[in-house]
């Protein structure tokens, strides 16, 4: 499949509706959507979301908890099955993959960093970092070599043989990042990687991420609820509310022209800070 | 008293069924018998090769390595010596061999069943009531089918013990696998694990503590059952208790009974020590 070099991720008309029964819902019909909205047993988590991410770009999806951003990013990896929609990532239509293809897609093309780290407590730091390599069957020496390298990159040299439980939160997330990077995937998904950390550590990790991004140039989808973080890290950002993108654009565009009240409230403090800064 | 005319007996049907089984499937039962007897004899052989003092020394050393506590180690060695002082070493070895034989089989059958229960909800729904039944029935009841199919002796004793003691290891395997946090499973899945890899690399190692706890329970229940199974020829310490009861020899009964307690504590400490050792470092 030939894809333009520019668009690395193309998501179109993505829907995720959680239901208790495995009922098939036709999202194309407005009446059906109205019915689902009234039904308490069904939740529309992602609603007709489309976006594109260019190669090596960091695309930030920002929203409060419950806005559907975590669900959206899980749908991209099909950790949660999307109800409808299409996602083409690195030339692969993820939504049409069968089980086997999906597994090899996850092994080769993409890696994810989790808010609560998702580290394996029974494995050492280096074993955690090498997990993806092991899963796809790389040799022991290869695993060791790559994982050691990556751990050094994230500043964890010397911690290889510790267990995650012996590390601080910030260090654990570095292990999570190392684990994602050791696979050397073209695409990274980050689900609020810094939100569990102290402000200082968070800032440090953000700087580290910027630094890594300069070096590694991964196409990244970054989820956060923190506007500061979104502005620092994002090349472009989208604001999500109740499953929808209410606005997307460069950080500057969003700051200067909030599309609606929700976004305006989101960016208000920041605008004021900027104004104050200008006054001074 | 209800009138006799209301009685409806099915005993002859069951007897007929068992007769039919033993006649038509004699070969199968013989084979099962052979396997169990071979296993039992090899286990016992190992224990009899090792001199008693060496075995006690091993118990002490292993106890020390597992717990690193002087009191535990001394207790384990002392309890072992109590068995020696009461002259119960040989029957204790018999009992221990029977326990270990049925526990080995119980683990061999129980862990795979537990894994299947954790992997497939259907199997979980089907097997759970069976396990409930196996555990609610009093141990005595298992003697009946065991005798019916295998006659008297060590083999039916092992079978009865096996039935009685398998449920814990099945349950703990199932529960242990199901309790692995969904966050950890999700992150492993995100890296492209197959179902089998997820089981082997993540779920089984994280369930190990729970599974070993189940094995410990299985061992303890097996020990309890071998004592009861002495009624159908399990031999060992249970036989000494049984004989003492029949002859109203309180003192002899105490010696044999107390030896069982000593053996139970030693096995329990060692096996739970192993389970404890397996725990991954926690935050």
């Amino acid at each position: 499949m030939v894809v333009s070099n520019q668009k690395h991720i193309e998501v179109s008309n993505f829907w995720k509706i959680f239901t208790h029964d495995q009922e098939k819902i036709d999202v194309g019909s407005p009446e059906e959507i109205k019915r689902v909205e009234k039904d308490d047993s069904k939740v529309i988590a992602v609603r007709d979301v489309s976006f594109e991410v260019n190669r090596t770009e960091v695309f930030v999806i920002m929203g409060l908890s419950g806005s559907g951003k975590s669900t959206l990013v899980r749908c991209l990896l099909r950790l949660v099955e999307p109800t409808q929609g299409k996602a083409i990532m690195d030339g692969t239509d993820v939504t049409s993959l069968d089980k086997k293809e999906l597994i090899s897609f996850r092994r080769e093309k993409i890696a994810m960093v989790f808010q609560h780290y998702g580290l394996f407590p029974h494995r050492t730091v280096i074993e955690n970092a090498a997990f993806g390599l092991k899963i796809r069957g790389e040799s022991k020496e290869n695993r060791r070599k790559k994982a050691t390298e990556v751990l050094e990159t994230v500043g964890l040299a010397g911690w290889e043989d510790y267990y995650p439980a012996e590390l601080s939160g910030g260090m654990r997330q570095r292990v999570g990042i190392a684990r994602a990077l050791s696979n050397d995937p073209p695409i990274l998904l980050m689900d609020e990687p810094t939100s569990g950390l102290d402000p200082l550590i968070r800032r440090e990790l953000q700087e580290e991420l910027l630094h890594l991004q300069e070096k590694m140039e991964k196409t990244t989808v970054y989820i956060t609820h923190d506007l500061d973080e979104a502005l620092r890290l994002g090349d472009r950002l989208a604001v999500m509310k109740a499953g929808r993108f209410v606005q997307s654009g460069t950080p500057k565009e969003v700051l200067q022209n909030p599309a609606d009240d929700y976004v305006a409230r989101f960016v208000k403090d920041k605008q004021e800070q900027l104004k104050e800064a200008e006054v001074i | 008293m209800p009138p006799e005319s209301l009685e409806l007996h099915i005993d002859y049907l069951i007897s007929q069924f068992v007769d039919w089984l033993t006649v038509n499937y004699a070969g199968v039962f013989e084979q099962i018998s052979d396997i169990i007897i071979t296993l039992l004899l090899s286990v016992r052989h190992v224990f009899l090769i090792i001199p008693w003092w060496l075995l006690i020394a091993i118990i002490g050393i292993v106890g020390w390595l597992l717990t690193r506590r002087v009191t535990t180690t001394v207790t384990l060695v002392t309890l072992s010596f109590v068995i020696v002082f009461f002259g119960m070493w040989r029957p204790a070895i018999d009992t221990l061999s029977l326990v270990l034989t049925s526990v080995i089989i119980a683990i061999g059958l129980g862990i795979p069943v537990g894994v299947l229960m954790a992997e497939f909800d259907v199997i979980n729904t089907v097997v759970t009531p069976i396990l409930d039944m196996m555990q609610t029935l009093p141990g005595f009841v298992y003697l009946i089918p065991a005798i019916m199919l295998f006659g008297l002796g060590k083999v039916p004793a092992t079978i009865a013990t096996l039935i009685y003691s398998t449920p814990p290891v099945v349950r703990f395997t199932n529960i242990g696998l199901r309790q692995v946090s969904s966050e950890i499973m999700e992150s492993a899945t995100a890296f492209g694990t197959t179902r089998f890899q997820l089981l082997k690399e993540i779920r089984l190692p994280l369930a190990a503590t729970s599974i070993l706890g189940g094995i410990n329970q299985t061992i303890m229940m097996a020990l309890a059952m071998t004592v009861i199974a002495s009624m159908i020829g399990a031999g060992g310490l249970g036989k000494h208790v049984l004989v003492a009861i029949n002859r109203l020899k309180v003192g002899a009964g105490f010696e044999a009974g107390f030896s069982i307690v000593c053996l139970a504590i030693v096995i329990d400490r060692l096996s739970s020590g192993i389970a404890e050792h397996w725990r991954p470092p926690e935050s």
Side-chain angles (χ1 to χ4, degrees), chain B residues 5-261:
Chain B
S5 57
L6 274 179
E7 285 182 14
L8 181 68
H9 288 286
I10 54 163
D11 56 343
Y12 67 97
L13 284 177
I14 291 176
S15 303
Q16 271 172 15
F17 175 68
V18 172
D19 285 346
W20 176 80
L21 266 185
T22 39
V23 171
N24 289 285
Y25 292 94
V28 177
F29 292 120
E30 219 158 277
Q31 237 157 24
I32 296 175
S33 257
D34 281 349
I35 295 170
I36 290 175
I37 249 340
T38 316
L39 191 58
L40 188 60
L41 288 179
S42 358
V43 172
R44 199 170 67 145
H45 189 64
V46 171
F47 279 117
L48 289 179
I49 292 177
I50 307 172
W52 64 274
W53 47 268
L54 184 59
L55 193 56
I56 294 180
I58 293 174
I59 290 171
I61 292 167
V62 174
W64 169 251
L65 289 178
L66 288 174
T67 61
R68 303 270 164 185
R69 285 178 56 181
V70 181
T71 40
T72 315
T73 313
V74 171
T75 313
L76 291 180
V77 172
T78 314
L79 291 173
S80 309
F81 267 109
V82 170
I83 299 176
V84 174
F85 294 151
F86 287 161
M88 289 287 156
W89 188 257
R90 185 61 193 263
I93 291 296
D94 283 350
T95 298
L96 186 61
S97 311
L98 208 148
V99 167
L100 283 186
T101 304
S102 46
V103 167
I104 290 169
I105 304 173
I107 293 171
L109 296 173
I111 292 182
V113 173
V115 169
L116 289 175
M117 285 173 78
E119 285 284 319
F120 304 101
D121 283 336
V122 186
I123 297 182
N124 188 35
T125 328
V126 175
V127 177
T128 305
I130 300 176
L131 292 179
D132 288 342
M133 196 185 74
M134 285 166 82
Q135 280 188 305
T136 34
L137 287 181
F140 265 136
V141 178
Y142 295 122
L143 300 181
I144 299 167
I147 307 176
M148 287 194 304
L149 298 173
F150 294 94
L152 290 170
K154 303 240 185 225
V155 172
T158 311
I159 302 262
T161 307
L162 180 64
I163 301 174
Y164 188 66
S165 64
T166 306
V169 68
V170 179
R171 269 187 215 280
F172 277 68
T173 303
N174 181 22
I175 291 171
L177 290 173
R178 283 174 184 270
Q179 272 174 347
V180 173
S181 93
S182 55
E183 268 168 26
I184 291 175
M185 303 226 291
E186 185 183 51
S187 74
T189 312
F191 282 91
T193 50
T194 59
R195 200 169 180 170
F196 178 73
Q197 282 177 324
L198 186 64
L199 188 67
K200 177 173 156 267
E201 304 285 342
I202 306 296
R203 294 176 84 196
L204 275 175
L206 287 176
T209 314
S210 170
I211 296 173
L212 287 165
I215 292 175
N216 170 263
Q217 292 289 305
T218 288
I219 295 174
M220 299 322 287
M221 288 183 68
L223 185 62
M225 190 62 195
T226 47
V227 175
I228 296 173
S230 65
M231 298 178 72
I232 58 168
L237 291 168
K239 191 182 91 184
H240 285 76
V241 176
L242 194 68
V243 169
I245 292 172
N246 286 337
R247 297 186 189 157
L248 286 177
K249 289 191 168 171
V250 182
F254 175 82
E255 281 189 359
F258 196 74
S259 299
I260 293 174
V261 174

